Amino acid sequence: MKITVIGCGYVGLVTGACLAEAGHEVVCTDKDEARIELLNRGGIPIYELHLDEVVQKNRRENRLTFTTDAGEAVRAGEAVFICVGTPPLENGDADLSAIDSVARLIATEARTPKLVVEKSTVPVQTGRQLRQALAVYGRKSGLAFRVASNPEFLREGTAVEDFLHPDRIVVGVDDEATEKELREIYQPIVEGRFNCPVHDSECPPQGPPEFLVTNINSAELIKHASNSFLALKISYANAVADLCELLGANVQEVTRAMGLDPRIGPKFLGAGLGFGGFCLPKDVQAFIRLAEHAGMDFALLKEVELINKQRIDRFVEKMRTALWVIKGKKVGVLGLAFKANTDDTRFSPSIDLGRRLLAEGAHVAAYDPAAMERARQLLPGISYAGDPYAVAEGVDALVIATDWPEFAALDWEQIHDVMARPLVLDGRNLLDPSAMKQQGFEYHSFGRPE
Ligand code: UGA
């Protein structure tokens, strides 16, 4: 099928590239001209595993093109996927102005009726508003647009894998024709009928994903409900970690045993500095606001947010207890991305921590395997080092703020030698406390006996 993707950020670029990989003819557009130019020169604006190869391969095979001519892009596709940002407004509501502009664009530029698919994360009932906007903006042409919701469940770092091997595909539709069209679009993915770039041409042996058809409101709600539940799991684990500290239990033993119950599951029970990134914090906030608008106080999620906000305070208090005075001390920070395997620093707990340490009067040096460039813009007051050993040089404390696996594999003996004081504060429970102690470190983490 011919598909248009509007918005070439994380979601749009992965969606466009993977739909092309699945055999469709995809045109992507973005109002950021520099981004489109870069893509047309064979560059890639974001760091995402396998994305570069999928983009380049499909460009070469002419299934994936990029244009700044949004009108031409709209006219090219039978289905138009909206993948623009919906960042939080000051009051926590999602900013839907980009969706509104795209609705105007589609309605005024289209010459034939289109299926308009919301991929961006939006509050419930946006579909209704979108349909109305398309009708109002397109009243002169009188074209009938159909609207569907197709939320994405992509994790940064594994987004290509998540798109090509999803555990579920959710489509919210109003009519059978739309369902049929979306089934057709996703059929190659449901059947694994493409050369798998993630697993060297063979898809992993796993059952086909569930293709779930719901009404549009449900599809929109599923996204917020899923992300908020993931956030809830993390905050729950963090609260349990705090209790473990008070009562001498070990949070990793506790959550491991909890996770063996299939009703709970082992994932997203990792205690530490809490959740960040551009999705979980904003989606929890938007879900709280959405409930408020609907007349419900979602107090449970307010607590989830509060527990998460307090993670940095707790960590700084741990540091204060260990260092006595933070002001004037040299602190090294390993990790700036909001999680491992990404260069994304948006709403990263490590960046918040860095700011907090600066405010406390510490001298901060940091290193991240992928996110230095982005961090420099958000956190200008610190120094950046070329590798973890340089960060550790002469510091009074070394902090692990992101769970990059390579930090666990460092030569900790060497680090011990270069630190002014061998104090490690592990904000991601990445290292083994007894091994660290054996190597002569003073070591603190979350919810584990010291
Ligand atoms: C999240 C969801 O996991 C995806 O399913 C969803 O599609 C995506 O948002 C989205 O809405 O687009 P992502 O933001 O890439 O994906 O990151 P996660 O892997 O969910 O991690 C979020 C944060 O939680 C990170 O800061 C991570 O360090 C933290 N985390 C995660 C924990 O603190 N503990 C855990 O056990 C797991």
Side-chain angles (χ1 to χ4, degrees):
M1 277 182 69
K2 291 192 165 128
I3 291 172
T4 303
V5 172
I6 303 184
C8 293
Y10 276 101
V11 174
L13 209 47
V14 172
T15 300
C18 291
L19 287 176
E21 184 69 26
H24 300 294
E25 214 173 290
V26 182
V27 183
C28 298
T29 186
D30 196 297
K31 64 178 172 25
D32 182 343
E33 293 187 3
R35 181 167 282 235
I36 296 293
E37 263 169 41
L38 176 73
L39 286 159
N40 276 330
R41 284 199 311 272
I44 200 100
I46 53 173
Y47 171 92
E48 187 64 51
L49 201 62
H50 301 297
L51 185 60
D52 199 4
E53 58 194 276
V54 180
V55 167
Q56 304 320 339
K57 175 176 164 225
N58 285 283
R59 279 183 70 230
R60 271 196 312 276
E61 294 172 6
N62 292 324
R63 278 191 304 271
L64 181 65
T65 51
F66 299 96
T67 177
T68 48
D69 187 338
E72 179 195 298
V74 165
R75 286 184 288 281
E78 298 154 71
V80 181
F81 281 72
I82 304 183
C83 301
V84 294
T86 53
L89 290 167
E90 199 98 319
N91 65 4
D93 283 345
D95 180 354
L96 299 177
S97 56
I99 305 263
D100 182 42
S101 311
V102 170
R104 191 187 289 274
L105 172 82
I106 297 170
T108 51
E109 294 289 347
R111 299 291 173 265
T112 51
K114 307 278 173 198
L115 166 60
V116 179
V117 186
E118 301 167 351
K119 215 36 123 196
S120 307
T121 300
V122 291
V124 186
Q125 297 187 345
T126 302
R128 191 168 51 97
Q129 302 281 8
L130 180 61
R131 185 178 302 105
Q132 211 173 331
L134 287 163
V136 170
Y137 298 142
R139 69 187 187 288
K140 284 192 186 141
S141 68
L143 292 173
F145 294 101
R146 283 173 294 129
V147 169
S149 162
N150 171 218
E152 52 83 15
F153 302 105
L154 310 174
R155 291 162 300 170
E156 284 182 28
T158 52
V160 171
E161 163 105 44
D162 291 343
F163 197 101
L164 294 172
H165 301 292
D167 35 38
R168 80 272 209 211
I169 296 168
V170 174
V171 297
V173 297
D174 274 344
D175 58 275
E176 274 179 27
T178 306
E179 176 187 333
K180 195 164 161 274
E181 209 168 326
L182 282 161
R183 271 191 197 278
E184 209 180 307
I185 291 173
Y186 279 108
Q187 206 53 30
I189 288 170
V190 171
E191 292 174 4
R193 267 197 287 111
F194 50 86
N195 282 328
C196 181
V198 180
H199 299 276
D200 287 337
S201 88
E202 284 270 313
C203 291
Q206 66 175 32
E210 184 99 16
F211 190 90
L212 215 68
V213 183
T214 68
N215 72 31
I216 295 181
N217 288 343
S218 301
E220 290 169 340
L221 196 87
I222 286 165
K223 172 68 188 195
H224 273 134
S226 300
N227 272 4
S228 296
F229 191 77
L230 292 172
L232 181 139
K233 278 188 96 173
I234 297 169
S235 279
Y236 187 83
N238 279 325
V240 170
D242 292 350
L243 202 55
C244 285
E245 272 175 32
L246 294 168
L247 301 175
N250 181 328
V251 71
Q252 276 174 331
E253 291 172 356
V254 174
T255 52
R256 179 166 148 66
M258 283 168 62
L260 288 171
D261 181 336
R263 291 169 304 174
I264 297 174
K267 295 187 179 154
F268 276 67
L269 291 174
L273 279 170
F275 59 83
F278 202 61
C279 299
L280 260 45
K282 109 175 143 60
D283 287 354
V284 171
Q285 210 182 14
F287 210 29
I288 292 171
R289 292 286 296 168
L290 183 80
E292 237 163 61
H293 288 311
M296 181 185 135
D297 179 11
F298 213 149
L300 176 67
L301 287 185
K302 289 182 183 164
E303 199 58 35
V304 167
E305 260 191 332
L306 187 69
I307 291 170
N308 199 52
K309 279 197 183 111
Q310 290 169 342
R311 300 320 287 164
I312 306 279
D313 301 335
R314 287 193 63 84
F315 195 71
V316 172
E317 281 325 302
K318 275 177 193 290
M319 184 179 286
R320 203 186 310 283
T321 307
L323 282 177
W324 177 40
V325 173
I326 295 178
K327 189 173 172 188
K329 296 279 162 63
K330 285 174 97 175
V331 178
V333 175
L334 295 180
L336 295 157
F338 81 96
K339 65 172 187 180
N341 301 315
T342 176
D343 65 345
D344 198 344
T345 48
R346 292 176 298 175
F347 300 99
S348 168
S350 334
I351 300 286
D352 285 347
L353 178 66
R355 288 199 184 113
R356 190 56 194 278
L357 293 175
L358 282 182
E360 293 276 346
H363 304 289
V364 183
Y367 167 79
D368 187 281
M372 303 273 270
E373 200 83 344
R374 288 173 192 261
R376 267 182 232 274
Q377 286 150 34
L378 291 175
L379 195 56
I382 69 167
S383 64
Y384 291 89
D387 63 69
Y389 304 98
V391 166
E393 188 79 46
V395 295
D396 299 294
L398 188 63
V399 167
I400 297 178
T402 309
D403 56 343
W404 284 99
E406 51 239 75
F407 294 155
L410 292 174
D411 179 347
W412 284 94
E413 219 175 288
Q414 188 184 338
I415 290 192
H416 185 277
D417 289 347
V418 298
M419 289 175 75
R421 173 179 169 179
L423 168 64
V424 171
L425 293 138
D426 184 350
R428 292 293 170 188
N429 286 2
L430 191 69
L431 305 173
D432 175 10
S434 47
M436 290 304 280
K437 265 173 214 149
Q438 252 170 25
Q439 290 188 69
F441 284 98
E442 232 179 296
Y443 175 83
H444 304 285
S445 56
F446 278 110
R448 300 188 296 179
E450 306 198 324

